Amino acid sequence: MKIYQVDAFTDKPFAGNPAGVCLLDKPADPSWMQNVAMEMNLAETAFLHPGNDGFHLRWFTPKVEIDLCGHATLAAAHVLYELGLVKPEATARFHSKSGLLTARKSGEWIELDFPATPARPIDTPPGLENALGLRALWVGQNQFDILVEVESEAGLHGLDPDCRALKSLGGRGVIVTARAVTPGYDFVSRFFAPCAGIDEDPVTGSAHCTLCPYWEAKLGKTTMIGYQASKRGGVVRVRRETNRVLLGGQAVTVLIGQLT
């Protein structure tokens, strides 16, 4: 049984967000998948097996199963295209807990079709600003995460949050974002998910399903480029289409192993 490690949302190895991709012949026991994800010790490991109309896809962190993951879906699509299991001109179809997700190749990029998950405004949760060490310009929340806009890109780069305090807020994680001043980008972000066992995620595709509608409303643009400013860093192209967000990214396979 082959397992792959892919760096997603980057065009070079050892950057972007690493994900495990495990190709299965049939459904596997969830406790076994959880143990494999724990052994891989990556932010997420994707497990997929063929179905009647595409592939069934599930995602696990080292601690829990999650409902939606962008970078591991990009990694899974990359492996399928690289192995020829999906033809370059064909659409990869994934059936998941978040419904049908699709991926298409566009040159060296792969574009994922994900549901938009806009955040609604909320009062600033007690302790949030202290945990971040920054003042919040705007705070919102969706079914997964808290979204926080801060004053500057420089402040976002220097952010060193108290992840134990963030964990007490509950939910999946906290997306922190700012308007970009670096040429070539529209907005920058970072993502912290201590409740899912990830203090900081290097590049988070699903977070951009929230960032895209937020910055669309502020910038008046439906197509944008986001930079996730973790230590590894990664680039996500976003395009809004009604209640969907198209996430564009590149990926590189860095490791191929065999489960014994």
Side-chain angles (χ1 to χ4, degrees):
M1 189 182 300
K2 290 289 182 67
I3 193 162
Y4 300 80
Q5 184 169 321
V6 176
D7 289 342
F9 292 115
T10 181
D11 61 354
K12 57 182 182 291
F14 316 124
N17 200 352
V21 178
C22 187
L23 300 180
L24 305 170
D25 295 328
K26 57 185 179 181
D29 181 77
S31 63
W32 177 85
M33 291 189 284
Q34 185 64 75
N35 282 332
V36 172
M38 180 179 64
E39 189 77 6
M40 291 296 289
N41 200 31
L42 300 170
E44 277 88 15
T45 298
F47 297 85
L48 63 160
H49 64 86
N52 292 331
D53 181 30
F55 295 84
H56 294 276
L57 176 62
R58 296 173 74 169
W59 309 275
F60 289 79
T61 78
K63 290 189 175 182
V64 296
E65 183 175 9
I66 59 172
D67 291 339
L68 186 65
C69 179
H71 86 278
T73 305
L74 176 62
H78 169 78
V79 169
L80 293 176
Y81 283 122
E82 197 170 58
L83 296 178
L85 297 175
V86 177
K87 300 299 182 185
E89 68 277 7
T91 298
R93 297 171 62 84
F94 300 106
H95 300 276
S96 76
K97 287 190 172 183
S98 290
L100 175 65
L101 309 173
T102 63
R104 290 190 66 87
K105 273 187 72 69
S106 177
E108 297 300 314
W109 292 69
I110 295 173
E111 193 170 65
L112 308 175
D113 184 342
F114 270 39
T117 54
R120 68 186 189 281
I122 61 169
D123 293 334
T124 302
L128 174 64
E129 291 179 317
N130 285 339
L132 293 176
L134 289 175
R135 186 173 74 89
L137 294 182
W138 188 91
V139 181
Q141 190 168 21
N142 61 19
Q143 66 267 44
F144 299 123
D145 306 309
I146 294 171
L147 174 64
V148 184
E149 184 188 355
V150 296
E151 291 181 298
S152 70
E153 180 179 329
L156 182 138
H157 280 284
L159 186 59
D160 184 19
D162 180 346
C163 285
R164 181 176 296 180
L166 289 181
K167 188 174 183 179
S168 69
L169 299 174
R172 183 182 69 162
V174 178
I175 309 164
V176 185
T177 189
R179 189 186 300 254
V181 295
T182 301
Y185 304 120
D186 294 289
F187 59 87
V188 294
S189 67
R190 292 173 68 183
F191 182 71
F192 306 95
C195 285
I198 308 159
D199 281 353
E200 181 169 8
D201 195 36
V203 193
T204 316
S206 60
H208 285 75
C209 296
T210 306
L211 290 161
C212 179
Y214 179 74
W215 285 108
E216 176 192 15
K218 296 206 70 169
L219 301 178
K221 301 170 71 173
T222 57
T223 300
M224 295 167 283
I225 298 179
Y227 179 72
Q228 193 155 330
S230 64
K231 289 182 179 180
R232 293 174 66 99
V235 177
V236 185
R237 295 194 314 203
V238 296
R239 179 159 56 95
R240 181 74 180 272
E241 288 193 354
T242 315
N243 63 344
R244 310 291 293 182
V245 174
L246 303 182
L247 305 171
Q250 295 175 274
V252 182
T253 300
V254 295
L255 182 73
I256 302 174
Q258 183 169 309
L259 289 168
T260 59

